[in-house]
Amino acid sequence: MSRFLTGGAVAALALAACAFAGSASAQTYSRLVVFGDSLSDNGNLYLISGGTQPPSPPYYQGRFSSGQVWTERLGFNAANFNGSVTGSINYAFGGSRTDTSAGVPFGMLNQLARYTAAGGKFGATDLVTVLGGANDIFQALPAAGASASPVAAMTPVATGAAANVNSLVNSVAGAGAGTILVSNLPKLSITPQFRGTPAAPLADYSATTFNTALQTGLNAVAAARPGSNIIMMDLFKIGDTITANPGQFGVSNVTAACFNGVSVCADPSSYFYFDGVHPTATGHILIAKLATDYLYYADIGAQSTLQGETTYRHREEALEAASEALSGRAAWEQGVSITTSANYNNTKTDARGSVRSSTSDGWGGRIALEAGPSASWRFGMAGSAQKADVDSDAFKFSVESFGLDLYGGWRADNVFVNAAVGVARDNINDIKRTTSLAPIVHTGDTRAVSTGARLQGGMWFDMGGFALSPRAALAYVASDVDGYYEQGVAAQYQYGDRTVKALTGEVSLRAEAEMGGFGLFAEGGYRDALDDSSDPVRVGIFNNPAQVLSREIDDPFGGQFLASAGVEGLVGPVKVTVGYRGRFGDHADSHTGGIQLRLPL
């Protein structure tokens, strides 16, 4: 057996702690079936060779590593190849090529044949992992390198290995496997075995040729087998990132082998490679973390719901401000006035399924020009700007909303009716998702357009220095968020266009009282959705055969209690209002404080 048992081992070049691992409850798998080579072998070759390959120690209990391999760290207790095929099982063998070889180690296509011959089947909730192809390349490299045309010699080897893997995946998908995680090959030139050697360029050429053919084939298989979700885990593109900053990923040595064939280093956990191509236990932990980023993309990506929910809230609050300007107790007067206001907002949402809790801190301003042609009619136009910084653990972003609202109202004696319409441009910037490869952070930006309308009516009951006003309102708000994809080297999530929209109804009771030269006000009410038809969150993986999956997300506010209070009075010709507004929903609370200045012109 060659020590080049698995180029996939190098794949280990990439990974780290997954901040979202605990949130992956919605994407679940009932069992694990493994096909592959030494990177996935949990002791199969060791068993079938009578405990001789690999020698253990220094290798750990028959693994080609200093500890358990990555497939053992995915949350399943997979049996060895001679176990029951009804539960989780591992058929990977160190040294396996991708072909039908029936000799030990069994070729990967033969591994599948042995599994099915033993009665193995595949189900919709199964997770199947497939990683191989490096041994085809390793075993062909010496002769190819000595030939007149090394590239021409290696091309059919690499494409043939990719065709074998695609054939295996097609068979597994055709047999009903729900999810298949297929790994490509890593950058071989940065492994201890190839680093700085004349063979490095040819090794990398072979790996990239394999990877290109693999992805092309997987795209075709995925299109032909829509019943299976085929996910390609990209090990190649992460290698340089880990190599450039090993300390950030918990290792100090990514260039040398811990085991040099004679002795073992003092601290294997500080090395990425245990031998020339196989990772240490630390490396396998990192691979498992990367796999998590790919396997649970729909649940992790569901956190993006906060973007549309934030832009929706900004639009809703702008419409509320327009209504409030035309529903106070004071009688209207002819003339023109200008109103400016500033506010600060804090909103907290609870965890909702796979969506984690979040905090939003925001501030903004509004300027409005209002005109009253008579004591019964009043119209206004307002421009607003609102910014919010949203933090949900490993998912962060900021929103800048620039809105324009037109509104008007009518009142006669103690009865009033008003309406408002508006639109906003929302810039969703500085999107940062801490991936399973922490501290690697993916970034992105997108935009949204938010529209809405609000109709409110009520009346005042004046009791001298005290007055009550029951009122009711209907509002429709829609925020259309553009899709985008992340920039980064882990699983690049691609988010579909999404609309967050709802028709809401509310009832409230406002009280105002005069206290000397100032007035006090307080209001309480209840709002709920009459029709919540928001789109689900749709997440795929950019440039990947993985399917686009949907997640329905509960409205964070749902039924919500409304409360506000404040004080207002004249300071010279300027009417000053200082107030608080709170919203207390099923899964979220929001608090806003602000000051408003109104000057007659």
Side-chain angles (χ1 to χ4, degrees):
M1 170 187 294
S2 166
R3 69 183 301 185
F4 303 114
L5 293 171
T6 272
V10 182
L13 269 184
L15 324 120
C18 176
F20 278 108
S23 70
S25 57
Q27 266 181 303
T28 57
Y29 308 104
S30 61
R31 69 183 189 119
L32 172 68
V33 180
V34 180
F35 301 108
D37 53 25
S38 56
L39 192 62
S40 304
D41 185 350
N42 65 341
N44 287 330
L45 185 62
Y46 185 76
L47 285 175
I48 208 168
S49 68
T52 62
Q53 298 183 63
S56 303
Y59 290 94
Y60 173 78
Q61 297 183 6
R63 281 77 166 171
F64 289 84
S65 181
S66 58
Q68 290 185 326
V69 298
W70 72 279
T71 52
E72 296 178 277
R73 301 176 185 275
L74 297 180
F76 302 88
N77 185 21
N80 289 105
F81 76 100
N82 54 358
S84 171
V85 294
T86 60
S88 294
I89 189 165
N90 188 321
Y91 266 82
F93 282 81
S96 290
R97 296 191 302 271
T98 59
D99 56 23
T100 58
S101 174
V104 177
F106 307 126
M108 290 174 60
L109 289 173
N110 187 263
Q111 292 171 19
L112 174 60
R114 287 174 175 270
Y115 171 76
T116 55
K121 300 182 183 300
F122 298 99
T125 59
D126 287 352
L127 168 62
V128 181
T129 65
V130 180
L131 197 167
N135 290 310
D136 301 62
I137 292 172
F138 291 154
Q139 293 173 21
L141 275 174
S147 69
S149 180
V151 168
M154 287 305 302
T155 298
V157 174
T159 56
N164 288 338
V165 173
N166 280 312
S167 176
L168 186 153
V169 172
N170 183 59
S171 296
V172 171
T179 302
I180 308 171
L181 179 68
V182 188
S183 302
N184 67 5
L185 296 181
K187 189 173 184 179
L188 300 178
S189 61
I190 56 179
T191 65
Q193 182 63 39
F194 289 101
R195 179 181 291 273
T197 69
L202 185 59
D204 274 353
Y205 167 80
S206 303
T208 55
T209 300
F210 172 90
N211 291 347
T212 300
L214 177 69
Q215 181 161 7
T216 300
L218 290 178
N219 289 338
V221 173
R225 302 291 190 184
S228 294
N229 188 15
I230 299 170
I231 307 169
M232 191 190 78
M233 180 166 67
D234 195 335
L235 298 169
F236 189 91
K237 69 180 179 181
I238 196 63
D240 288 335
T241 300
I242 301 297
T243 301
N245 299 284
Q248 294 183 353
F249 300 91
V251 294
S252 60
N253 193 317
V254 293
T255 59
C258 173
F259 175 50
N260 60 14
V262 178
S263 60
V264 177
C265 65
D267 183 12
S269 66
S270 66
Y271 278 64
F272 192 87
Y273 296 102
F274 189 67
D275 59 23
V277 291
H278 298 105
T280 59
T282 302
H284 277 288
I285 289 171
L286 298 181
I287 293 177
K289 298 297 184 180
L290 180 62
T292 297
D293 212 46
Y294 281 92
L295 288 173
Y296 300 104
Y297 64 92
D299 297 311
I300 298 173
Q303 207 73 10
S304 64
T305 184
L306 297 169
Q307 296 165 353
E309 292 170 2
T310 302
T311 55
Y312 176 98
R313 177 168 53 83
H314 283 181
R315 185 87 300 267
E316 192 174 49
E317 290 171 350
L319 292 170
E320 290 173 8
S323 279
E324 188 172 349
L326 300 178
S327 61
R329 176 190 181 191
W332 293 348
E333 298 178 357
Q334 288 182 318
V336 178
S337 66
I338 186 169
T339 301
T340 62
S341 60
N343 67 77
Y344 171 79
N345 172 274
N346 174 264
T347 299
K348 295 182 178 180
T349 61
D350 299 332
R352 292 165 285 152
S354 57
V355 179
R356 291 193 168 192
S357 59
S358 70
T359 300
S360 170
D361 290 299
W363 53 93
R366 178 178 182 269
I367 184 167
L369 183 67
E370 296 176 5
S374 70
S376 297
W377 292 95
R378 195 161 187 86
F379 302 95
M381 178 175 66
S384 61
Q386 191 77 21
K387 181 174 181 180
D389 293 321
V390 182
D391 187 341
S392 180
D393 195 4
F395 192 83
K396 301 176 175 63
F397 60 93
S398 65
V399 174
E400 296 173 340
S401 299
F402 301 96
L404 177 66
D405 292 281
L406 301 176
Y407 53 98
W410 171 87
R411 68 184 298 167
D413 296 325
N414 63 340
V415 177
F416 64 88
V417 177
N418 56 67
V421 295
V423 63
R425 174 69 170 182
D426 306 291
N427 300 323
I428 305 172
N429 301 320
D430 301 322
I431 302 170
K432 295 181 175 65
R433 180 178 71 87
T434 302
T435 71
S436 305
L437 300 171
I440 290 177
V441 175
H442 282 193
T443 60
D445 294 287
T446 189
R447 301 290 179 264
V449 174
S450 302
T451 56
R454 179 179 169 91
L455 177 66
Q456 183 187 55
M459 58 177 40
W460 281 99
F461 296 98
D462 201 328
M463 305 174 199
F466 179 77
L468 290 175
S469 173
R471 67 233 355 236
L474 290 172
Y476 175 80
V477 175
S479 185
D480 299 313
V481 182
D482 293 342
Y484 68 98
Y485 63 87
E486 302 172 342
Q487 300 291 333
V489 296
Q492 290 180 261
Y493 296 169
Q494 184 163 8
Y495 305 91
D497 296 346
R498 183 178 185 232
T499 299
V500 177
K501 58 184 176 181
L503 173 67
T504 61
E506 71 179 65
V507 291
S508 61
L509 180 66
R510 185 180 177 93
E512 294 189 6
E514 296 179 356
M515 301 271 304
F518 288 86
L520 300 177
F521 64 87
E523 185 172 342
Y526 182 78
R527 177 186 297 157
D528 206 349
L530 304 178
D531 177 31
D532 182 357
S533 52
S534 296
D535 295 338
V537 175
R538 296 181 297 119
V539 187
I541 303 177
F542 178 68
N543 196 28
N544 198 289
Q547 295 176 356
V548 175
L549 301 181
S550 298
R551 291 291 177 265
E552 296 283 352
I553 308 297
D554 291 339
D555 173 10
F557 282 100
Q560 56 190 284
F561 291 95
L562 311 174
S564 62
V567 58
E568 58 188 13
L570 291 175
V571 178
V574 179
K575 182 178 181 181
V576 179
T577 304
V578 179
Y580 159 84
R581 181 186 300 115
R583 302 168 63 179
F584 308 92
D586 294 340
H587 301 287
D589 294 335
S590 178
H591 308 276
T592 302
I595 183 170
Q596 177 179 282
L597 307 177
R598 181 173 181 271
L599 175 65
L601 298 180

